[in-house]
Amino acid sequence: MLTAIVALPLLILLILKGSFFLFSCFILLLSGLGLTEFFRMALPERKLEGHAASLLGILLPLALISTDPRHFLCAVAAIVLLSALLFLFRLRDIRAAAGEAALFLMGFLYVPFLLGHLMLIRGLPHGIQWIFLLLVIVMSGDSGAYYVGCSFGKRKLYPLVSPNKSVEGAAGGLVGSLAGAFIARATFFPELTVADAIITPLLLGVLGQLGDLFESLLKRSFGVKDSGVIVPGHGGILDRLDSILFAAPAAFYYAVFVFMRR
């Protein structure tokens, strides 16, 4: 609660008053920190490579917002080639090399590529409103899932991956996301239609919950409880961004291909 009380107003201020450049720098920082956490979990014995890759990973969000698609293709090609050469010439165990290389490349796609969609959203017309809508849907969904799950949860949702989550909690999360979307429409985003206020929370709410489950899957596979300790009382950056990583691309493409086509 103390962390949220301090961090949430600062985040709102950054989104509301900060320039696109400042917001992008914040996302790049989160991308680097999140990628560092991922490599620390996935490849704990390759610390040097992980730190170097975290710096390299900021190329993806930067290339993603470029007006020239060739910049993005160039960044992807550079990351793939440099990663391949890294594992070729810093070989440890040849039997593990293919799996390590696959995890290395997955880190770039999972963290900076998905997170970079927040920068794309920020650059849209009504971009600030879309960022707030995404956050409201995810956060109200988290709250609904937590309180409904604690009060009424009986049937396990996916015990192998996340033993504490329940079917009732997941349903409560979607109700919370719907409520959040309609509050957003009534307050800061009146341009949303009723259909938008129904479709977006269902789409982003489901993807957000799946993103949470996927990060739980990764942590259980890597044998860790939290992705890090940088956020007091909340774990790591990835523990806070897991839902947003899956929901942000959907929010951007819905805004571009549905909302802006009217």
Side-chain angles (χ1 to χ4, degrees):
M1 287 296 294
L2 289 175
T3 300
I5 289 170
V6 173
L8 195 56
L10 293 176
L11 179 62
I12 292 172
L13 186 64
L14 172 67
I15 297 169
L16 197 59
K17 298 297 184 181
S19 64
F20 177 80
F21 174 77
L22 186 61
F23 180 79
S24 298
C25 289
F26 177 64
I27 298 302
L28 293 177
L29 175 63
L30 293 182
S31 295
L33 293 173
L35 202 51
T36 298
E37 289 182 355
F38 179 86
F39 289 134
R40 190 183 296 129
M41 292 189 299
L43 302 166
E45 296 182 357
R46 288 189 176 269
K47 294 181 180 179
L48 179 62
E49 293 91 332
H51 290 305
S54 297
L55 295 176
L56 182 63
I58 66 174
L59 285 176
L60 270 182
L62 287 175
L64 198 60
I65 62 172
S66 171
T67 55
D68 189 341
R70 291 174 295 183
H71 293 161
F72 177 71
L73 295 176
C74 180
V76 171
I79 287 172
V80 172
L81 291 174
L82 289 173
S83 300
L85 293 174
L86 177 69
F87 282 90
L88 179 62
F89 293 111
R90 285 183 62 85
L91 184 64
R92 291 172 180 258
D93 181 356
I94 196 168
R95 293 171 298 181
E100 288 184 344
L103 282 172
F104 202 72
L105 290 172
M106 179 193 168
F108 291 108
L109 296 175
Y110 178 54
V111 184
F113 174 66
L114 295 182
L115 198 60
H117 283 79
L118 289 174
M119 295 162 65
L120 291 174
I121 295 172
R122 179 62 175 77
L124 293 175
H126 302 101
I128 292 176
Q129 290 95 320
W130 275 106
I131 293 289
F132 278 124
L133 177 66
L134 170 62
L135 293 177
V136 167
I137 287 173
V138 169
M139 294 171 68
S140 59
D142 284 346
S143 298
Y146 177 77
Y147 288 111
V148 172
C150 288
S151 302
F152 306 104
K154 296 185 182 299
R155 292 170 293 175
K156 298 297 183 181
L157 180 66
Y158 201 163
L160 187 63
V161 170
S162 187
N164 294 326
K165 288 184 172 59
S166 65
V167 173
E168 294 80 5
L174 290 180
V175 173
S177 293
L178 279 164
F182 275 97
I183 291 172
R185 180 175 182 267
T187 53
F188 64 83
F189 207 168
E191 293 82 4
L192 290 176
T193 65
V194 173
D196 291 330
I198 294 174
I199 295 171
T200 53
L202 292 179
L203 176 63
L204 305 188
V206 168
L207 285 172
Q209 292 190 32
L210 292 175
D212 190 345
L213 285 172
F214 182 72
E215 201 237 354
S216 296
L217 171 69
L218 291 179
K219 290 189 295 186
R220 284 189 170 271
S221 177
F222 297 145
V224 299
K225 182 179 183 294
D226 295 317
S227 65
V229 294
I230 196 171
V231 186
H234 291 262
I237 292 293
L238 293 181
D239 293 320
R240 292 297 87 207
L241 296 179
D242 50 9
S243 298
I244 292 174
L245 286 172
F246 272 35
F252 172 71
Y253 295 116
Y254 182 90
V256 170
F257 294 116
V258 179
F259 181 80
M260 293 173 59
R261 288 290 181 90
R262 301 194 186 106

